[in-house]
Amino acid sequence: MVELRSDTFTLPTESMRKAMAIAEVGDDVWDEDPTIHRLQDRAAEMVGMEASLFVPSGTMGNLCALLSHARAGDEVIVEIDSHIFQNEVAGAAVVGGLQLRPLDSESGRLQPEQVLGAIREPDIHEPRSALLCLENTHNRKGGTCLSPNQTAALCAVAHQAGLKVHLDGARVFNAAVAQRVDVRELTAPVDSVMFCLSKGLSAPVGSMLAGSVDFIERARRMRKMVGGGMRQAGVLAAAGLCALTEMVDRLTEDHANARRLAEGLQGLSGINVDIGRVETNMVFGECRPPVTARHFIDRCRTVGVLLDQASAYRWRMVTHRGVTSEDVDYAVGAIRRLFVEPSTAALRATG
Ligand code: TLP
């Protein structure tokens, strides 16, 4: 099977398994796990922040960030297709009493004027604008990148009006590697950043939330509140340390494979590939009605290619360490054959 559903399917490396086996551990709720301390120090340094916190998932990292920056009744500006708005089970509203204000964008890049227009003046009738959330890379808009300049311009507008900025940087290392910039150029202007160890970086579990010492102190309480205080989790942090030291540079391979995949799938009569948005490790595309994404995905599974559904007609493929360029060539060949075989005439007939 060629696993293109998500980079969350990456398996831990040999060196991670070894590091996990010998990790020194302690009770992290008591802040006494030495391996977690090492990971938190290293992560904070890499993204240029004062401190960081190991959290079980990206979703919990984002939630702790929102709860630490804003209070019930506040408004949080988000991009309409952001993970926080679309894929986090309304946690900000349920747990935090926060109102999310979604703004649409072309390819996931909010414009500073648009953000400025959404920031509220103090008014007794209105919620307080407290926080702007960015997402880099932007998942549902295609794995697209915000540049250092775009990030800085958006932060300037928010900061000027007294808002904080949180970056959902689940794949911020993909963004940095793709743009050949130090990740700090993408994180320096924001007040907090969450990034995932468990996606392209291949660790089995965990994400990091980074920011100022004060912010991380609040986030630590929030993590405990939502049940994310873990005990001897240094076994997981050990894998996270390997992820940060050994897995960042190789992300370029995933990006090259995504491009190879997108180019290979171009020109088929039944699907459109969003080739213009392939900037990192994701390839999105659309089926032409009446063929639905579900139908296409089911057919691909029969030839050993697994992909993910994004909406009724849209699908997503994600490259990662578990997918080689040979796997990509196999997937392209197998999918192309689907469009010409008589048994899959339904796909062909849509051209
Ligand atoms: N994304 C997952 C799914 O939830 C969609 C994936 O397969 O891509 N921010 C962004 C931008 C994400 O893409 C994700 C996960 C998260 C946050 C949440 O991370 P986890 O899964 O660790 O809670």
Side-chain angles (χ1 to χ4, degrees):
M1 286 286 186
V2 183
E3 179 55 83
L4 296 167
R5 283 176 294 177
S6 183
D7 46 9
T8 58
F9 283 88
T10 44
L11 299 174
T13 62
E14 262 315 294
S15 90
M16 287 178 188
R17 288 181 183 276
K18 284 189 185 132
M20 291 172 83
I22 58 166
E24 232 190 305
V25 295
D27 190 327
D28 185 52
V29 170
W30 291 62
D31 206 8
E32 287 180 12
D33 188 301
T35 309
I36 291 187
H37 286 165
R38 277 172 51 222
L39 173 64
Q40 290 178 165
D41 290 349
R42 175 105 178 92
E45 190 215 316
M46 280 176 89
V47 294
M49 296 283 179
E50 285 177 2
S52 87
L53 185 70
F54 184 50
V55 288
S57 68
T59 302
M60 190 186 285
N62 282 336
L63 181 60
C64 290
L66 267 59
L67 295 174
S68 304
H69 282 306
R71 53 177 194 263
D74 282 350
E75 188 166 77
V76 178
I77 300 173
V78 293
E79 204 277 343
I80 198 161
D81 279 321
S82 63
H83 197 274
I84 290 175
F85 189 59
Q86 298 283 355
N87 295 105
E88 300 192 0
V89 210
V94 175
V95 186
L98 300 172
Q99 172 161 294
L100 297 184
R101 170 90 171 265
L103 304 181
D104 203 355
S105 78
E106 178 62 34
S107 64
R109 295 180 259 260
L110 292 171
Q111 298 302 314
E113 318 78 64
Q114 187 188 11
V115 170
L116 189 59
I119 296 174
R120 299 172 189 270
E121 297 287 327
D123 185 308
I124 195 168
H125 304 90
E126 300 185 29
R128 183 180 76 109
S129 299
L131 181 68
L132 166 67
C133 292
L134 305 176
E135 186 172 307
N136 196 12
T137 64
H138 195 297
N139 181 347
R140 288 170 73 97
K141 287 267 162 66
T144 48
C145 301
L146 276 174
S147 70
N149 282 342
Q150 287 162 340
T151 308
L154 286 161
C155 290
V157 163
H159 287 151
Q160 192 104 46
L163 280 72
K164 299 288 186 195
V165 182
H166 171 66
L167 173 63
D168 176 347
R171 298 182 180 81
V172 74
F173 286 101
N174 292 82
V177 163
Q179 298 178 89
R180 296 195 178 84
V181 297
D182 187 308
V183 71
R184 275 173 278 222
E185 292 192 48
L186 302 172
T187 55
V190 303
D191 299 284
S192 60
V193 55
M194 181 284 291
F195 64 89
C196 295
L197 303 166
S198 60
K199 300 197 163 62
L201 301 184
S202 299
V205 180
S207 294
M208 305 305 300
L209 178 60
S212 69
V213 167
D214 275 3
F215 168 81
I216 290 299
E217 211 174 285
R218 291 199 298 280
R220 200 175 169 80
R221 282 186 67 77
M222 294 303 127
R223 183 185 69 173
K224 189 75 185 84
M225 184 181 80
V226 296
M230 297 182 285
R231 304 297 176 175
Q232 287 74 30
V235 286
L236 302 174
L241 275 162
C242 298
L244 290 182
T245 45
E246 296 162 17
M247 293 290 129
V248 173
D249 294 341
R250 63 151 308 286
L251 294 173
T252 50
E253 289 170 38
D254 302 342
H255 301 171
N257 279 334
R259 178 138 294 275
R260 188 182 183 97
L261 185 59
E263 283 169 0
L265 293 175
Q266 252 187 326
L268 284 168
S269 58
I271 54 172
N272 289 328
V273 178
D274 293 355
I275 191 135
R277 286 194 186 169
V278 180
E279 298 176 20
T280 56
N281 68 332
M282 294 186 183
V283 179
F284 277 76
E286 213 149 275
C287 293
R288 301 206 184 118
V291 174
T292 60
R294 189 72 266 150
H295 179 62
F296 178 55
I297 290 166
D298 289 346
R299 298 307 315 200
C300 288
R301 184 179 270 275
T302 64
V303 293
V305 181
L306 302 179
L307 50 144
D308 188 27
Q309 182 163 4
S311 67
Y313 293 99
R314 281 178 74 70
W315 45 264
R316 179 186 80 161
M317 299 180 185
V318 187
T319 54
H320 52 81
R321 205 184 100 250
V323 177
T324 62
S325 60
E326 290 76 35
D327 291 334
V328 167
D329 293 344
Y330 169 79
V332 167
I335 293 172
R336 294 196 81 89
R337 277 193 298 282
L338 278 181
F339 283 85
V340 293
E341 273 169 18
S343 64
T344 48
L347 289 177
R348 198 175 65 249
T350 64

